[in-house]
Amino acid sequence: MKRAILALAVGAALLAMALRARRERPVRPAEEAPRPAPPAVVELSTHAEEAIVVVEPPAALKPPPLPRPAPSPPVVEATPSATGAIWGVVTLMGERPPRKRVKAIEADPACAALHGEALLSDEFVVDAEKRVRWAVVHVVKGLGERRFEPPTVPVQLEQVGCRYVPHVLGVRVDQPVAIVNRDPLLHNVHGLPFVNREFNFGQLWRSENVRAFARPEIFQVKCDVHPWMSAWLAVFDHPFFAISGEDGVFRIPGLPPGRYEIAAWHEELKTETREVDVGVIDARLDFLLQRR
């Protein structure tokens, strides 16, 4: 009986001690946020006696990385053209002649009044390097059975200052040729073709007449009123021809690859014909022409 009473007394004492300890222990608030970790510290020593401390910023404050540049577009090599060109220089063989002065114009005061200085002939124009102007260079053979539609836009042959401008005009078969009088006086236009129909008509100031030619050939046009006035029409059934410029240079573009026969014609010189191979790269073909 005494042991039971002693056991109960000991248990009651232990329970009282446990309750007291629980009341004295502090309770951590639920809303308290955890403290952030201290920033990383990196020491960089430049000298033995001093150190520089670099504090690395938090990740949230670091600048965003720069965007990577867009890749360059791929390089595309140019595809070579399917056509080529013939070009060259027309040169005179032998001594260079002086350019003629048109003395006949002095007999017509109306024409002479249109010029402040002497009128020079366009029949034979050669520069100091003996390069020939007004030569007609054209394809003779090599086009096969190809057919070419003629342009509908007319070309012009003008009478200006009692002369024809240009002196040599290239034109296509069935292409309109507008012949215009720019002088304030009467002119006469007389065409002398060999295979096309001959024509002859008078023109007053600002008059215009249109002609077309059905067959290829080179022929002269003149004025019967003013005999020094002369021009040449070069008619072709294809677009592959050129007239040499003041420097004697000509260029015929757009030729399909192949072998061609090319001729150079001039009213005062012998016609020369040569062969040339044309590819996608321009071919040079020079002409050295002799006097007739």
Side-chain angles (χ1 to χ4, degrees):
M1 187 65 177
K2 291 181 179 179
R3 290 183 179 178
I5 293 172
L6 180 60
L8 289 173
V10 173
L14 292 174
L15 179 60
M17 292 174 62
L19 292 175
R20 186 184 301 168
R22 185 173 183 181
R23 285 194 301 268
E24 294 176 356
R25 186 174 59 184
V27 180
R28 183 179 181 182
E31 65 276 10
E32 184 178 352
R35 295 183 180 178
V41 177
V42 180
E43 288 191 1
L44 298 177
S45 297
T46 55
H47 301 284
E49 61 274 9
E50 63 181 20
I52 300 175
V53 178
V54 179
V55 179
E56 183 179 358
L61 300 179
K62 290 182 179 180
L66 295 176
R68 299 181 63 184
S72 302
V75 177
V76 180
E77 294 185 0
T79 303
S81 172
T83 60
I86 299 173
W87 74 280
V89 182
V90 181
T91 307
L92 173 66
M93 177 186 294
E95 186 178 352
R96 170 179 174 251
R99 190 170 177 180
K100 295 180 181 179
R101 177 179 175 180
V102 180
K103 296 182 179 181
I105 194 174
E106 299 172 0
D108 192 316
C111 282
L114 299 176
H115 294 273
E117 55 187 21
L119 177 64
L120 299 179
S121 172
D122 286 325
E123 294 178 358
F124 207 175
V125 182
V126 183
D127 69 5
E129 303 296 326
K130 299 198 292 186
R131 294 171 295 194
V132 180
R133 189 179 187 184
W134 304 124
V136 181
V137 184
H138 60 99
V139 172
V140 177
K141 294 180 181 179
L143 295 173
E145 301 300 321
R146 296 183 179 93
R147 296 291 181 265
F148 305 92
E149 289 294 324
T152 58
V153 178
V155 293
Q156 281 196 346
L157 179 63
E158 299 179 312
Q159 296 156 97
V160 182
C162 293
R163 69 195 305 174
Y164 281 106
V165 179
H167 181 65
V168 180
L169 177 64
V171 61
R172 298 276 298 281
V173 164
D174 293 329
Q175 182 179 11
V177 180
I179 306 172
V180 186
N181 183 5
R182 306 291 186 192
D183 291 333
L185 44 86
L186 174 67
H187 282 305
N188 158 257
V189 183
H190 190 179
L192 300 171
F194 299 96
V195 296
N196 288 285
R197 182 176 296 180
E198 184 177 352
F199 56 92
N200 192 349
F201 53 84
Q203 277 195 325
L204 298 174
W205 184 28
R206 297 178 179 174
S207 296
E208 178 177 321
N209 295 78
V210 179
R211 292 289 185 275
F213 309 100
R215 297 180 182 179
E217 65 169 323
I218 301 176
F219 65 91
Q220 186 181 26
V221 178
K222 66 176 186 175
C223 176
D224 295 327
V225 180
H226 308 102
W228 66 86
M229 290 180 61
S230 175
W232 294 86
L233 289 184
V235 186
F236 298 101
D237 57 2
H238 58 76
F240 305 113
F241 59 88
I243 314 298
S244 62
E246 295 181 359
D247 55 359
V249 175
F250 70 90
R251 189 173 189 273
I252 304 175
L255 276 164
R259 188 170 185 82
Y260 296 93
E261 186 176 310
I262 311 296
W265 174 94
H266 188 276
E267 61 184 293
E268 295 287 334
L269 303 172
K270 294 180 180 179
T271 299
E272 182 180 347
T273 303
R274 297 180 60 187
E275 290 188 345
V276 62
D277 292 316
V278 176
V280 296
I281 300 176
D282 293 357
R284 178 165 183 173
L285 184 66
D286 294 331
F287 287 91
L288 187 62
L289 303 184
Q290 304 179 50
R291 298 289 297 267
R292 291 182 180 177

